[in-house]
């Protein structure tokens, strides 16, 4: 509850924010799955919170337009991020097929960024439109 005063820790704040996002995504994914799955994750799922130098300028951009992700496949390196921006009037999100991440529903013009720490292939979809499918490849 206590916070140190007078000293700024931008990276710590970022890490805490990221942790909160991961926690929310995990909770949301669990809530949506409806099954008996737990939030325990395997070795191929990014669960660690990066505390190193910011890589905010690295990664890929995906535009959601006309009920599709463009491009439908992006390749990044571990530690980089993908930012999804919705350009439709309809709300969309980007949700991992394997509960690795789940972004919030984005209104037109809104964005969601997720940082991928572990190499792997991450298929994802739009929660309200499951036929919207695409993939992130992390090398
Ligand atoms: Co959608």
């Amino acid at each position: 509850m206590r916070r140190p005063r007078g000293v700024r820790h931008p990276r710590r704040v970022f890490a805490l924010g990221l942790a909160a996002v991961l926690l929310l995504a995990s909770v949301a994914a669990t809530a949506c799955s409806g099954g008996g799955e737990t939030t325990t994750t395997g070795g191929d799922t990014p669960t660690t919170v990066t505390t190193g130098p910011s890589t905010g300028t690295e990664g890929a951009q995906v535009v959601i337009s006309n009920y599709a992700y463009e491009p439908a496949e992006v390749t990044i390196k571990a530690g980089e991020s993908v930012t999804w921006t919705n350009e439709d009037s309809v709300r969309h999100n980007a949700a991992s097929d394997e509960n690795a991440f789940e972004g919030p529903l984005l209104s037109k013009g809104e964005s969601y960024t997720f940082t991928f720490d572990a190499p792997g292939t991450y298929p994802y979809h739009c929660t309200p439109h499951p036929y919207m499918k695409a993939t992130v490849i992390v090398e």
Side-chain angles (χ1 to χ4, degrees):
M1 298 296 281
R2 292 179 185 144
R3 296 180 182 174
R5 288 174 294 175
V7 181
R8 293 183 180 180
H9 296 283
R11 281 193 297 180
R12 181 173 173 79
V13 170
F14 174 79
L16 288 172
L18 183 58
V21 167
L22 289 171
L23 180 61
L24 287 172
S26 177
V27 169
T30 303
C32 288
S33 70
E37 300 295 324
T38 70
T39 55
T40 303
T41 52
D44 60 343
T45 306
T47 57
T48 55
V49 175
T50 301
T51 56
S54 171
T55 54
T57 59
E58 307 284 344
Q61 301 283 331
V62 175
V63 171
I64 308 173
S65 179
N66 294 322
Y67 292 81
Y69 301 98
E70 298 174 0
E73 181 178 301
V74 293
T75 301
I76 59 171
K77 294 175 181 171
E80 294 182 346
S81 62
V82 175
T83 297
W84 289 267
T85 301
N86 182 24
E87 294 189 351
D88 275 349
S89 296
V90 174
R91 298 209 295 170
H92 301 289
N93 73 347
S96 166
D97 292 358
E98 299 163 353
N99 291 344
F101 60 91
E102 180 170 335
L105 286 171
L106 302 172
S107 296
K108 187 173 185 178
E110 291 183 336
S111 295
Y112 166 70
T113 299
F114 184 82
T115 300
F116 293 80
D117 292 326
T121 299
Y122 297 85
Y124 65 92
H125 61 276
C126 178
T127 301
H129 316 108
Y131 52 86
M132 292 174 60
K133 290 182 168 296
T135 304
V136 175
I137 296 173
V138 183
E139 295 180 328

